[in-house]
Amino acid sequence: MRTRLVLHSARLLDPGTGAFLPETALAVSDDGRISALGDDREIRALAGPASTVVDLKGAVVTPGFVDGHLHPVTGAELTHGLDLSYCADLDDVREALAREVRNLDRGQWLFGWGLDPNVFGDRPVGIAPFDAVLDGIPAFLLLFDAHSALASRRALELAGVDGPRTFDQASAEVVCDADGRPTGLLQEDAACELVERVAPRPTREESRERLAETLRGMAAAGLTGGHAMDANGDSLALYGELDAAGELPLRLRVAPWCQPGTDADGVRALIEQQGLGGELWRVAGVKLFMDGTIDNGTAWLERPDCHGESTHAFWPDPEAYTRIIGELHRAGVPTATHAIGDAAVRHVLDSVEKARAGGDGGGAVRHRVEHIETVPDDTLRRFAELGVLASMQPTHCCDFTRADHTDNWSRRLGEERAARAWRCRDLSESGATVVLGSDWPIAPFPPLGVMAGARHRRPSRDLGQAPHGPEQALTPLEALRGITTAAAYAAGEEHEAGRLAMGYRADLTALAADPLTTPSTDLPDVPVRLTTVSGRVTFRAADL
């Protein structure tokens, strides 16, 4: 078999042991797998006329970085709006909106994203502080958690939203004042869709190019793959088009959603959809939601938050969720469930335990819980006991909470539960497999930043601030495994991905420095030198 790629003058880092391999070069065959490891001279000799040969000049090569939780298509669309994530208070938001309004044509919509509810301080979250600047402007401002949004008065008018609504999603809500008038706050996907459906949408060509550009950026950041937690809209078709054109630079594992109200036919359709895909993407698993978010009062907690909110599940009947988990398990379909609050996490674990007791699917079906923002001690051990993976996004703790618990998330929970924030270390030490990701566009996707956050737990914009729960920090090796070996295991691919070994896929990331010895605060700035997927170069530094 011919050689597709030769990398030499490299330091090959094995995340299994945390040590460098004795070899300094590797070759990749036409099937996209590592076909040889050795010294520079013997591996260079394997190159043919059509081979790509790269002198890595001492760069560190690891198995390719995989983001365990992201939303590529949704993110590509959302991040073309106004970035409000840098706004620290209401004045910042008003100024940003005013600048954007000056550039709008008459009747044009304003889209924003990344709005932090902490900008409201002790005021209720609503559109009122921005009424003057958005007078007559249809605007849709997504809060940072992407589970809630603010709609301007004009946007609500265009959508015909003038009072409360009832939804299948139990925690979805058009928030209204005491007189029944909408405040502009829309909770959860079903409520947000009321306004989104009347807003202008990008053309198919615009969506395709935005996605392609986003994925190229991810490859340049060192990502070789991602677990895409939705198949909304044209997502699958767009992945298929890019893949067929040779323009898909990441290997994507896609989990379509199963929402409350899904009937037996809907569940069968999700099962039949498994395995659909192309060379670099496939449908593998189903994404469900057990609750919303703590910041907007839609999580499911065992005790209410300080506002008396976050008291119920996303599913009006949580047992309907349990039945569907059982059906999917028996069909051999892995699930990934969004569960943030302690009651939500507990119910997911209970449901998986019941499904496993029912047999059929067996231990080969790897179920996951996504986010796990606060859990009590008695929940930790159950992840390992049930073989449930813990999918964590440590940068959410870094950038959306504070060590002194003065942030909205911590205030809502109170000291006891805020002290149990993102228990990455406790979950790892209890035997759980901890998969790391960004949840982009909720947080930035560069994987070096995700690993750094797992280690330092400090705000990315001000690393001089105190860490939130430093005792929950991961070691450098644990953080590296979280985006390499753990991601491979979560996908059931540990026998062909996540290692630098003969026969393994040549999804590779090369860095200018050793990620295990680089200080956590410096790690995000380490240059990515090369990224390959199946031995095809998806990013290459200009001087290589």
Side-chain angles (χ1 to χ4, degrees):
M1 190 173 287
R2 293 181 302 180
T3 297
R4 172 178 292 172
L5 174 71
V6 165
L7 303 180
H8 66 89
S9 303
R11 293 182 289 163
L12 307 179
L13 180 59
D14 176 17
T17 63
F20 286 102
L21 301 179
E23 297 87 0
T24 59
L26 63 80
V28 180
S29 55
D30 267 347
D31 64 356
R33 296 178 181 270
I34 297 172
S35 55
L37 293 161
D39 63 32
D40 290 358
R41 182 176 178 180
E42 64 180 314
I43 299 300
R44 281 202 308 265
L46 299 175
S51 303
T52 299
V53 180
V54 182
D55 178 355
L56 284 176
K57 303 175 182 177
V60 175
V61 176
T62 73
F65 295 163
V66 176
D67 191 312
H69 186 126
L70 42 64
H71 304 271
V73 175
T74 304
E77 181 176 334
L78 292 178
T79 54
H80 266 69
L82 175 64
D83 183 1
L84 298 170
S85 63
Y86 67 89
C87 296
D89 55 35
L90 291 175
D91 286 339
D92 283 349
V93 179
R94 279 189 283 262
E95 289 174 13
L97 293 174
R99 287 194 300 270
E100 192 75 1
V101 165
R102 288 194 289 270
N103 296 322
L104 294 178
D105 295 330
R106 184 177 178 82
Q108 187 176 359
W109 280 66
L110 188 159
F111 295 97
W113 62 283
L115 181 61
D116 187 342
N118 284 301
V119 302
F120 290 88
D122 294 328
R123 298 180 57 166
V125 178
I127 200 66
F130 316 125
D131 279 344
V133 70
L134 295 176
D135 185 26
I137 304 293
F140 185 81
L141 312 177
L142 197 68
L143 272 71
F144 81 88
D145 60 11
H147 280 253
S148 50
L150 293 178
S152 68
R153 308 295 177 188
R154 177 58 176 156
L156 292 170
E157 179 185 356
L158 291 171
V161 177
D162 56 7
R165 300 285 181 93
T166 301
F167 304 96
D168 286 336
Q169 297 172 359
S171 49
E173 181 184 4
V174 174
V175 179
C176 296
D177 62 21
D179 297 321
R181 292 188 298 259
T183 66
L185 179 60
L186 306 170
Q187 304 274 45
E188 297 298 342
D189 190 55
C192 292
E193 282 181 355
L194 297 174
V195 172
E196 289 177 302
R197 68 172 62 127
V198 301
R201 305 286 297 173
T203 66
R204 178 65 170 270
E205 292 72 23
E206 288 171 336
S207 294
R208 186 181 188 277
E209 182 47 42
R210 289 176 185 179
L211 176 61
E213 181 182 2
T214 294
L215 294 174
R216 288 192 294 268
M218 290 180 175
L223 284 172
T224 64
H227 298 174
M229 291 296 167
D230 63 69
N232 298 335
D234 294 329
S235 295
L236 299 185
L238 292 170
Y239 296 146
E241 289 178 18
L242 293 177
D243 193 29
E247 298 175 14
L248 189 60
L250 264 68
R251 190 183 304 278
L252 295 173
R253 185 174 188 268
V254 187
W257 285 1
C258 179
Q259 297 272 34
T262 301
D263 59 14
D265 289 341
V267 174
R268 277 195 296 271
L270 287 166
I271 294 170
E272 291 169 359
Q273 199 175 17
Q274 301 300 304
L276 177 70
E279 182 182 358
L280 290 178
W281 70 278
R282 66 185 174 95
V283 175
V286 170
K287 168 77 179 298
L288 304 96
F289 294 80
M290 201 64 245
D291 65 351
T293 68
I294 287 165
D295 275 291
N296 68 15
T298 58
W300 187 17
L301 298 171
E302 294 178 340
R303 301 191 315 276
D305 67 15
C306 70
H307 300 301
E309 298 178 337
S310 285
T311 57
H312 53 80
F314 191 69
W315 291 66
D317 176 11
E319 289 309 308
Y321 164 89
T322 301
R323 290 192 294 272
I324 288 177
I325 290 293
E327 290 181 55
L328 294 172
H329 179 79
R330 288 189 293 274
V333 178
T335 63
T337 301
H338 168 120
I340 279 177
D342 44 18
V345 174
R346 191 182 301 279
H347 189 83
V348 176
L349 295 173
D350 288 345
S351 299
V352 172
E353 183 172 26
K354 186 174 182 179
R356 292 207 185 285
D360 291 328
V365 185
R366 292 173 185 167
H367 301 287
R368 306 163 46 146
V369 182
E370 309 297 315
H371 309 309
I372 319 168
E373 292 185 5
T374 179
V375 288
D377 292 345
D378 67 340
T379 305
L380 298 171
R381 58 176 175 76
R382 299 186 66 200
F383 281 84
E385 290 173 356
L386 295 170
V388 174
L389 296 104
S391 175
M392 310 286 283
Q393 297 78 45
T395 47
H396 294 195
C397 181
C398 296
D399 292 337
F400 304 133
T401 70
R402 300 171 189 150
D404 62 5
H405 297 171
T406 58
D407 59 280
N408 179 58
W409 185 94
S410 300
R411 291 200 314 271
R412 277 184 173 267
L413 287 178
E415 285 298 312
E416 178 189 350
R417 290 180 293 192
R420 302 196 298 243
W422 285 267
R423 300 180 71 173
C424 298
R425 164 139 306 288
D426 287 343
L427 281 161
S428 180
E429 290 186 347
S430 70
T433 297
V434 177
V435 183
L436 298 183
S438 66
D439 198 13
W440 188 81
I442 310 307
F445 59 69
L448 291 174
V450 172
M451 285 193 292
R455 291 166 53 182
H456 63 58
R457 296 175 68 95
R458 299 172 185 270
S460 302
R461 295 193 193 95
D462 186 359
L463 294 171
Q465 289 192 33
H468 189 164
E471 72 281 357
Q472 295 300 330
L474 295 181
T475 67
L477 183 55
E478 288 169 336
L480 177 62
R481 288 172 175 167
I483 62 167
T484 54
T485 58
Y489 181 81
E493 297 174 344
E494 68 271 23
H495 300 300
E496 62 175 344
R499 290 183 56 201
L500 301 180
M502 295 280 288
Y504 276 61
R505 289 198 305 238
D507 297 356
L508 308 169
T509 303
L511 306 171
D514 181 354
L516 300 184
T517 58
T518 301
S520 60
T521 52
D522 296 336
L523 189 60
D525 298 322
V526 170
V528 175
R529 304 290 283 149
L530 185 81
T531 314
T532 75
V533 175
S534 290
R536 294 190 177 97
V537 174
T538 55
F539 170 76
R540 184 172 181 170
D543 63 331
L544 286 184

